[in-house]
């Protein structure tokens, strides 16, 4: 919202005939942001061991009474919960405190969700490792151990993912320029370049694929959602170099899958990501990645410090329903 409101003045200066004063202050009281709702998928079966703590954090109940109604997992009835997740509901935050502010229907819904999680925990706690191994057998082409030669999670090269449309407004030129700098410095890394392609694909993609050689693990659009999310779970860092972005679903999905985000300090990103994950220049991005390449184990131990719940469908569906069913006010 801030990026929109603060740009009104600059935009109005382009209009020669009529420039109403204080337009931002007039519009601001009537504005609110309802984020695009994301149904975060069940990715537990794809998570490497070092990301399990991250996943538990993503799914845990960390907020107090005011957020409790929104904490049911997205697509709850279709997903399996994480191991020991019930401890997060009955631990320090206290289940009774979280439930006390809910209505009867909401309490019943939360209770149903907890029962589903309990059933999952009981049936799956003994065979988590077996199911994960079976999943890897079913997806040999995306098996991290096969692809990376069985290298230990904390020792293998940094894995960078760029999951965006192959178009100029995503600024692939800047991204690949940074990667070429890493190559020049002799730093080891892997990269997965995902995203849709259209009629006109910038030449930089074919040039970069040739220059990157064996550093490129995955290249191109993955039509299977499962394959897509598995690559995100394998990756360590997700990069945006966008010059045009209204929201950034791909970045949030990657963060949910345990990737460390690096985004421009511009557009919508400062409203979504803490300052730690923002960069101001391509040189800053390059420097951050150089450090990450030297110590990828540090990135793999990092737990994301921002919020994810406010962007989920579970948290937003009530706001959308209220907005679409409320009678408009006369002054609007």
């Amino acid at each position: 919202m801030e990026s929109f409101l603060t740009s009104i003045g600059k935009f109005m200066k382009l209009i020669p005939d009529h420039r109403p004063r204080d337009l931002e202050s007039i519009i601001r009281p009537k504005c609110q942001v309802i984020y695009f709702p994301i149904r975060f998928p069940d990715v537990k079966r794809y998570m490497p061991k070092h990301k399990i703590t991250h996943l538990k954090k993503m799914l845990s109940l960390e907020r107090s009474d005011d957020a409790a109604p929104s904490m049911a997992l997205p697509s709850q009835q279709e997903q399996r919960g994480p191991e020991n997740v019930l401890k997060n509901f009955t631990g320090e935050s206290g289940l009774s405190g979280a439930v006390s502010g809910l209505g009867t229907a909401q309490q019943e819904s939360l209770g149903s969700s907890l029962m589903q999680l309990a059933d999952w925990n009981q049936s799956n706690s003994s065979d988590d490792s077996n199911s994960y191994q079976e999943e890897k057998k079913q997806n040999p082409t995306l098996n991290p151990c096969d692809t990376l030669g069985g290298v230990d999670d904390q020792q293998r090269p940094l894995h960078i993912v760029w999951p965006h449309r192959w178009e100029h407004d995503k600024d692939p030129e800047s991204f690949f320029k940074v990667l070429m700098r890493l190559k020049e410095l002799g730093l080891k890394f892997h990269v997965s370049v995902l995203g849709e392609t259209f009629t006109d694909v910038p030449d930089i993609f074919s040039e970069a694929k040739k220059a990157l050689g064996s550093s490129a693990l995955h290249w191109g659009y993955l039509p299977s959602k499962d394959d897509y999310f598995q690559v995100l779970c394998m990756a360590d860092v997700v990069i945006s170099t966008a010059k045009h972005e209204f929201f950034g679903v791909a970045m949030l999905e990657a963060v949910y899958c345990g990737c460390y985000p690096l985004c421009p300090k511009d557009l919508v990103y400062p409203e979504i990501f803490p300052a730690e994950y923002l960069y101001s220049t391509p040189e800053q991005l390059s420097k951050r990645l150089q450090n990450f390449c030297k110590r990828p184990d540090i990135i793999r131990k990092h737990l994301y410090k921002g919020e994810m719940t406010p962007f989920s469908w579970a948290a937003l569906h009530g706001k959308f329903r209220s907005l679409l069913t409320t009678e408009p006010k006369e002054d609007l």
Side-chain angles (χ1 to χ4, degrees):
M1 185 171 75
E2 289 302 317
S3 59
F4 164 69
L5 291 173
T6 56
S7 66
I8 291 176
K10 296 178 182 178
F11 177 77
M12 294 306 296
K13 290 180 180 179
L14 301 176
I15 301 177
D17 300 326
H18 180 60
R19 299 177 182 177
R21 293 183 178 182
D22 302 321
L23 194 56
E24 178 185 339
S25 61
I26 296 173
I27 294 177
R28 182 178 288 274
K30 301 179 181 181
C31 289
Q32 64 172 311
V33 170
I34 301 183
Y35 293 109
F36 178 83
I38 305 175
R39 287 188 180 273
F40 292 113
D42 178 7
V43 294
K44 179 181 184 296
R45 60 193 184 278
Y46 303 137
M47 285 288 193
K49 291 181 180 179
H50 69 270
K51 285 190 177 183
I52 295 301
T53 301
H54 163 85
L55 181 62
K56 289 181 179 179
K57 178 185 177 183
M58 291 293 102
L59 298 177
S60 66
L61 181 61
E62 297 181 323
R63 312 187 77 179
S64 57
D65 297 2
D66 59 338
S70 302
M71 290 305 297
L73 299 182
S75 304
Q76 184 82 50
Q77 295 179 354
E78 300 175 3
Q79 296 191 19
R80 299 180 298 173
E83 181 182 5
N84 296 327
V85 73
L86 289 180
K87 293 181 180 179
N88 294 308
F89 284 88
T90 57
E92 296 179 359
S93 59
L95 176 60
S96 59
V99 173
S100 61
L102 305 184
T104 303
Q106 292 169 328
Q107 290 185 30
E108 292 175 355
S109 176
L110 181 58
S112 176
S113 298
L114 289 174
M115 288 302 296
Q116 292 176 29
L117 290 169
D119 292 342
W120 178 90
N121 191 57
Q122 182 176 4
S123 63
N124 288 277
S125 59
S126 63
D127 61 356
D128 272 350
S129 59
N130 291 335
S131 63
Y132 179 70
Q133 293 297 329
E134 185 64 27
E135 183 68 34
K136 289 196 295 182
K137 291 179 182 178
Q138 295 174 4
N139 297 278
T141 59
L142 292 175
N143 186 327
C145 294
D146 290 346
T147 305
L148 303 173
V151 180
D152 181 79
D153 278 340
Q154 301 301 331
Q155 299 299 322
R156 59 185 171 83
L158 185 76
H159 185 174
I160 302 166
V161 63
W162 192 86
H164 309 287
R165 285 183 288 107
W166 289 23
E167 294 186 308
H168 287 292
D169 66 312
K170 299 304 180 183
D171 198 8
E173 291 82 4
S174 292
F175 174 67
F176 290 124
K177 185 176 180 179
V178 169
L179 294 192
M180 291 303 105
R181 178 57 179 161
L182 299 181
K183 294 279 282 186
E184 291 173 3
L185 295 173
L187 297 172
K188 294 182 178 180
F189 64 91
H190 290 126
V191 62
S192 292
V193 180
L194 311 179
E196 282 192 276
T197 59
F198 298 93
T199 304
D200 298 319
V201 177
D203 294 336
I204 187 65
F205 284 96
S206 58
E207 297 168 3
K209 182 179 182 181
K210 183 177 180 180
L212 289 167
S214 60
S215 295
L217 290 186
H218 305 93
W219 199 269
Y221 178 71
L222 292 174
S224 166
K225 274 285 188 179
D226 286 340
D227 291 348
Y228 174 73
F229 285 116
Q230 187 167 359
V231 172
L232 295 184
C233 289
M234 291 164 54
D236 302 309
V237 181
V238 59
I239 307 293
S240 171
T241 46
K243 294 180 178 178
H244 179 269
E245 185 65 85
F246 288 119
F247 184 50
V249 173
M251 291 297 294
L252 284 168
E253 287 177 337
V255 171
Y256 184 82
C257 292
C259 294
Y260 186 106
L262 286 174
C263 319
K265 192 177 182 180
D266 197 7
L267 308 171
V268 72
Y269 295 123
E271 297 180 39
I272 295 178
F273 297 99
E276 174 181 347
Y277 307 107
L278 307 176
Y279 65 87
S280 298
T281 65
E283 291 73 24
Q284 287 184 3
L285 173 60
S286 178
K287 188 63 176 180
R288 298 287 298 276
L289 288 177
Q290 289 174 38
N291 293 333
F292 292 173
C293 286
K294 294 173 183 176
R295 291 297 306 273
D297 57 306
I298 294 179
I299 291 303
R300 292 173 188 138
K301 295 174 184 176
H302 178 82
L303 290 179
Y304 180 64
K305 298 177 182 178
E307 292 279 353
M308 294 295 291
T309 300
F311 311 111
S312 71
W313 171 246
L316 292 169
H317 75 278
K319 292 183 178 180
F320 274 94
R321 182 176 291 110
S322 175
L323 179 67
L324 295 173
T325 57
T326 300
E327 290 294 330
K329 298 180 181 179
E330 291 183 2
D331 61 346
L332 298 179

